Amino acid sequence: MNPVVINILQNIPKKVPEELFETLFSKGTVKIERIVSQGQCCLINDWYDQVQDEWVILLEGQAQLQFKDDSTPITLNSGDYCLIPAHTKHRVHWTDPEIKTIWLAIHIYPTENDHE
Amino acid sequence: MNPVVINILQNIPKKVPEELFETLFSKGTVKIERIVSQGQCCLINDWYDQVQDEWVILLEGQAQLQFKDDSTPITLNSGDYCLIPAHTKHRVHWTDPEIKTIWLAIHIYPTENDHE
């Protein structure tokens, strides 16, 4: 039987009152996640501080990420990707309020053998 | 210092005489790879048989995958993703010869604790 094929740009609710997180695949130390944003952002001085590395690509829309070590937010457009290493404090500064922003995030958690 | 942002649809050679594989990130059991195809396909009865799971999404272009357990190739368009579990024999049946096809593949290798 052929594997199931799903389109990542489909099955998106018309309204996204809150940022939508959906796990597409998870195994061992890896989680692949779709995130849908529309206008959401994090509060000023509200920083993610993650134990895992996050490799993230913006597939549609537009957003700005801010990193605590650098005051200038960086803008991500369609196709832009970056690595957010574990414990790199960051926040979503802005997402486009007019259109939906679709992210694909790969979370790579430390193994038991990794030292935090 | 802000993380480096790279666009996955850029830095593509004008001609792609052979399928192009580029590791974007690798750590532990995970490898994130960009693949660029243009017209390449695998020989009939030439099957990939991988030890790792592969979660793959087609970002641009068009391609057909074939799985040994099912004679009908499946067509992937922009945004389509599927999971190819380890040891699921498969081949690239066709990629668009006119335009470049950009894939993002997440390879999840077994850990030492996994039983093959």
Side-chain angles (χ1 to χ4, degrees), chain B residues 14-82:
Chain B
K14 282 190 179 173
K15 293 188 178 179
V16 186
E18 293 185 3
E19 218 163 24
L20 191 69
F21 297 87
E22 188 183 357
T23 299
L24 306 181
F25 178 73
S26 177
K27 187 171 183 180
T29 61
V30 183
K31 185 173 76 173
I32 300 177
E33 186 176 55
R34 182 180 78 167
I35 306 168
V36 181
S37 320
Q38 189 169 10
Q40 291 88 0
C41 58
C42 303
L43 295 173
I44 299 287
N45 279 323
D46 190 7
W47 304 97
Y48 287 113
D49 182 359
Q50 300 178 159
V51 298
Q52 76 274 23
D53 296 311
E54 180 177 350
W55 187 96
V56 66
I57 182 166
L58 193 147
L59 299 179
E60 262 195 10
Q62 197 178 44
Q64 288 185 327
L65 289 179
Q66 189 180 27
F67 294 85
K68 197 171 184 183
D69 289 345
D70 198 313
S71 58
T72 313
I74 54 174
T75 300
L76 298 184
N77 294 294
S78 177
D80 283 341
Y81 68 85
C82 71

Side-chain angles (χ1 to χ4, degrees), chain A residues 38-99:
Chain A
Q38 188 168 12
Q40 290 89 1
C41 58
C42 302
L43 295 173
I44 299 289
N45 279 323
D46 190 7
W47 303 97
Y48 286 113
D49 181 0
Q50 300 177 159
V51 298
Q52 76 275 22
D53 295 311
E54 180 176 350
W55 187 96
V56 66
I57 182 167
L58 192 146
L59 299 178
E60 261 195 11
Q62 197 178 44
Q64 287 184 328
L65 288 180
Q66 189 181 26
F67 294 85
K68 197 171 183 183
D69 289 346
D70 197 313
S71 58
T72 313
I74 54 175
T75 299
L76 297 184
N77 293 294
S78 177
D80 283 342
Y81 68 84
C82 69
L83 174 70
I84 305 171
H87 296 301
T88 301
K89 291 182 182 174
H90 64 285
R91 53 186 288 280
V92 179
H93 182 69
W94 175 85
T95 60
D96 197 316
E98 302 300 328
I99 55 169

